[in-house]
């Protein structure tokens, strides 16, 4: 069915010989990634047209690169949405199979790039941070250095404490508190790194301002056990997406996993025989947790019935092509927010962490100790769990003193 859509043009119009076999392989890869038949035909038709254009203009396959793709689209009679993406997909496919030379990346050897590369290596190898955190830290440091030096030479020893405080005071007011805290944490990490490597004579990390945020000043946002059940029940388990989202919500609600931990879950991380699950936590730390029966049933149902065959080893993949793992934790935030809307619940905080807070609160009110809650949530420091003491209203009520009554008795 699909084969005829690109074999017919070959018989009627010339086509570069090296691309003939690759067109079939490209088609197979599109099918494997879960694209619909009609989408595959459209993509193959465009690639066929591109190949015929190369032949007519006597362009060698080895000359294939982004500039040629752009030239073809500029001269194409009608450009449709997605044409550039399709041709880029085909070009990436040819590079993976070494049909065309790999893309030549321009190596940035500027002082800024060099110090950022060294810092990235420090964060990845010595600190063990995940890629998302490293990119965030680098982004803040890059903005600071670009603003501080602009077009002048990058002299790290010229950085003063006032430069750091001025930058923070200028940008922090326009950020959320958590975001501003990440920025100041990144700066402390960076200047401590420079001091350790001998780039600075003084440790400027101590001069980074602190963003005011009284962690214990508010009560953690959470759902009651009945509300959690409403969220789970609101999933339409008659659909593929519904069964996938139900399994995700079960992991969040029953095991208290972080969004990134669910996104990074691999097929081999589930030990069905032992009833355990390997959690790839923060700081490259791995923990084994028991797999509750209801969570295991939800996962098994999704894996048997709905998870498509694809190359990625991630447990949870996109329902639409291309079949691949979620881009990041924000995808789970969207899934939780939609589940809350379906359940007609409107808490102030709608992120994936809401279910983690809900689990801790439910455990505390069922008699669990702070140590037990910290063990389930895999907190490395005991004081991280302290905030949940504030939701144990019954215990707090017994500690409260009666309000003094003034005036004559």
């Amino acid at each position: 069915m699909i084969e005829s859509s690109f074999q017919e043009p070959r018989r009627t119009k010339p086509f570069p010989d090296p691309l003939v076999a690759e067109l079939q392989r490209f088609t197979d890869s599109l099918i494997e990634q879960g694209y619909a038949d009609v989408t595959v035909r459209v993509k193959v038709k465009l690639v066929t047209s591109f190949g015929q254009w190369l032949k007519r203009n006597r362009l060698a396959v080895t000359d294939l690169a982004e500039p040629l793709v752009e030239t073809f689209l500029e001269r194409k009679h009608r450009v449709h949405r997605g044409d550039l993406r399709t041709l880029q997909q085909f070009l990436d496919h040819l590079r993976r199979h070494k049909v065309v030379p790999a893309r030549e990346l321009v190596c940035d050897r500027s002082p800024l790039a060099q110090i950022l590369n060294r810092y990235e290596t420090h964060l990845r190898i010595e600190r063990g941070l995940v890629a998302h955190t490293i990119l965030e830290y680098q982004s803040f440091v890059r903005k600071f250095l670009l603003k501080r030096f602009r077009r002048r030479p990058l002299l790290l020893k010229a950085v003063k404490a006032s430069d750091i405080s001025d930058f923070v005071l200028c940008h922090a007011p326009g950020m959320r508190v958590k975001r501003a805290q990440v920025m100041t944490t990144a700066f402390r990490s960076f200047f401590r790194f420079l001091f350790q490597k001998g780039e600075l004579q003084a440790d400027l990390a101590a001069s980074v301002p602190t963003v005011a945020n009284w962690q214990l000043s508010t009560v953690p946002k959470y759902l009651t056990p009945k509300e959690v059940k409403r969220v789970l029940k609101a999933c339409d388990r008659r659909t593929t997406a519904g069964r996938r989202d139900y399994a995700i919500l079960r992991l969040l609600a029953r095991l208290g996993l972080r969004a990134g931990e669910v996104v990074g879950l691999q097929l081999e991380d589930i030990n069905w025989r032992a009833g355990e699950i390997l959690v790839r936590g923060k700081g490259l730390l791995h923990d084994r947790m028991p797999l509750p029966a209801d969570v295991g049933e939800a996962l098994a149902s999704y894996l048997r019935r709905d998870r498509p065959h694809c190359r990625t080893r991630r447990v949870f993949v996109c329902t639409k092509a291309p079949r691949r793992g979620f881009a990041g934790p924000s995808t789970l935030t969207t899934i939780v927010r939609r589940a809350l809307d379906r359940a007609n619940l409107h808490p102030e905080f709608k992120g994936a962490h809401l279910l983690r807070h809900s689990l801790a609160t439910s455990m505390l009110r069922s008699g669990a100790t702070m140590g037990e809650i910290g063990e389930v949530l895999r907190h490395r420091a005991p004081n991280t769990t302290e905030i949940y003491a504030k939701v144990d209203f019954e215990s707090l009520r017994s500690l409260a003193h009666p309000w003094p009554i003034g005036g004559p008795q």
Side-chain angles (χ1 to χ4, degrees):
M1 177 174 60
I2 296 174
E3 293 178 359
S4 61
S5 66
F6 63 84
Q7 286 184 345
E8 185 62 29
R10 277 174 47 198
R11 289 195 290 265
T12 57
K13 294 182 181 180
F15 197 79
D17 292 338
L19 298 186
V20 174
E22 290 306 322
L23 191 57
Q24 177 65 61
R25 293 171 71 174
F26 180 63
T27 305
D28 294 340
S29 70
L30 293 175
I31 297 172
E32 184 180 346
Q33 292 178 69
Y35 285 99
D37 287 356
V38 63
T39 305
V40 174
R41 291 194 188 94
V42 170
K43 287 178 176 289
V44 169
K45 183 178 179 180
L46 175 64
V47 171
T48 302
S49 177
F50 178 56
Q52 293 164 354
W53 178 81
L54 293 174
K55 186 76 172 182
R56 287 195 303 270
N57 290 276
R58 298 181 180 181
L59 296 170
V61 174
T62 52
D63 294 333
L64 267 179
E66 279 73 13
L68 269 183
V69 170
E70 294 173 2
T71 302
F72 168 73
L73 292 176
E74 288 173 359
R75 299 180 182 181
K76 192 171 180 285
H77 177 64
R78 181 180 297 175
V79 178
H80 298 89
R81 179 183 177 184
D83 283 359
L84 177 59
R85 177 178 174 81
T86 296
L87 294 177
Q88 186 63 58
Q89 276 183 299
F90 184 58
L91 194 53
D92 293 340
H93 168 85
L94 295 177
R95 284 173 175 152
R96 281 196 303 271
H97 292 88
K98 303 187 186 305
V99 178
V100 299
R103 186 173 186 177
E104 293 184 4
L105 299 177
V106 178
C107 185
D108 187 354
R109 299 187 182 277
S110 65
L112 175 62
Q114 291 181 19
I115 194 64
L116 288 177
N117 288 337
R118 288 174 56 199
Y119 181 50
E120 185 271 338
T121 303
H122 164 76
L123 294 177
R124 178 169 46 85
I125 297 178
E126 298 183 31
R127 294 282 308 281
L129 300 185
V130 296
H132 175 73
T133 304
I134 293 174
L135 289 174
E136 274 200 313
Y137 281 19
Q138 281 186 306
S139 174
F140 285 122
V141 171
R142 181 184 290 106
K143 289 177 182 177
F144 169 77
L145 293 177
L146 287 174
K147 183 173 181 180
R148 170 61 181 81
F149 294 101
R150 291 188 174 90
R151 297 182 180 179
R152 290 171 289 177
L154 182 69
L155 299 175
L156 295 173
K157 292 183 179 180
V159 176
K160 298 177 293 185
S162 58
D163 298 328
I164 305 170
S165 58
D166 288 347
F167 185 91
V168 172
L169 291 174
C170 176
H171 291 82
M175 300 179 179
R176 290 174 297 148
V177 173
K178 292 293 184 183
R179 181 79 174 158
Q181 285 181 321
V182 172
M183 175 178 66
T184 54
T185 302
F187 288 159
R188 292 190 191 95
S189 167
F190 179 65
F191 290 115
R192 194 174 296 119
F193 158 76
L194 293 179
F195 180 66
Q196 291 172 352
K197 301 302 180 183
E199 298 288 348
L200 295 178
Q201 295 179 348
D203 186 3
L204 294 178
S207 65
V208 178
T210 300
V211 178
N213 181 35
W214 293 269
Q215 184 179 4
L216 301 178
S217 63
T218 60
V219 176
K221 308 300 186 293
Y222 65 92
L223 301 177
T224 65
K226 288 185 178 180
E227 290 173 332
V228 172
K229 289 181 179 178
R230 281 175 56 186
V231 171
L232 293 170
K233 192 175 181 180
C235 290
D236 187 359
R237 295 163 67 185
R238 297 170 298 180
T239 66
T240 295
R243 287 187 289 269
R244 182 202 63 185
D245 293 352
Y246 179 77
I248 290 172
L249 294 172
R250 276 288 182 189
L251 283 169
L252 295 172
R254 290 282 280 120
L255 295 180
L257 300 189
R258 302 178 180 92
E261 294 166 346
V262 176
V263 170
L265 190 63
Q266 307 277 334
L267 292 172
E268 54 271 19
D269 293 340
I270 307 174
N271 189 334
W272 298 102
R273 194 174 296 275
E276 291 181 341
I277 185 171
L278 178 67
V279 180
R280 303 169 188 267
K282 297 170 67 175
L284 301 181
L285 296 174
H286 294 178
D287 297 284
R288 292 195 176 276
M289 297 187 68
L291 184 64
D294 55 345
V295 179
E297 290 174 2
L299 280 171
S301 175
Y302 163 69
L303 292 174
R304 287 174 177 171
R305 300 177 58 182
D306 305 299
R307 186 184 184 279
H309 294 288
C310 49
R311 294 179 181 177
T312 180
R313 299 296 296 171
R314 296 270 188 90
V315 171
F316 298 106
V317 298
C318 302
T319 55
K320 295 182 179 179
R323 308 292 194 192
R324 57 190 175 191
F326 294 151
S330 60
T331 304
L332 260 68
T333 299
T334 302
I335 290 174
V336 172
R337 183 181 293 114
R338 289 174 178 173
L340 290 168
D341 290 341
R342 288 194 300 267
N344 198 26
L345 294 172
H346 307 285
E348 181 181 350
F349 176 73
K350 295 187 177 183
H353 231 62
L354 176 67
L355 295 175
R356 183 175 169 89
H357 289 324
S358 302
L359 173 64
T361 304
S362 177
M363 289 179 62
L364 182 64
R365 293 183 173 179
S366 298
T369 64
M370 287 295 173
E372 291 169 339
I373 296 173
E375 187 176 349
V376 170
L377 298 184
R378 289 160 291 109
H379 288 156
R380 305 304 168 190
N383 59 356
T384 309
T385 318
E386 289 176 358
I387 191 171
Y388 295 108
K390 302 180 67 175
V391 300
D392 190 1
F393 299 127
E394 293 303 321
S395 299
L396 291 173
R397 194 171 286 116
S398 66
L399 300 175
H401 294 286
W403 188 262
I405 302 177
Q409 303 295 318

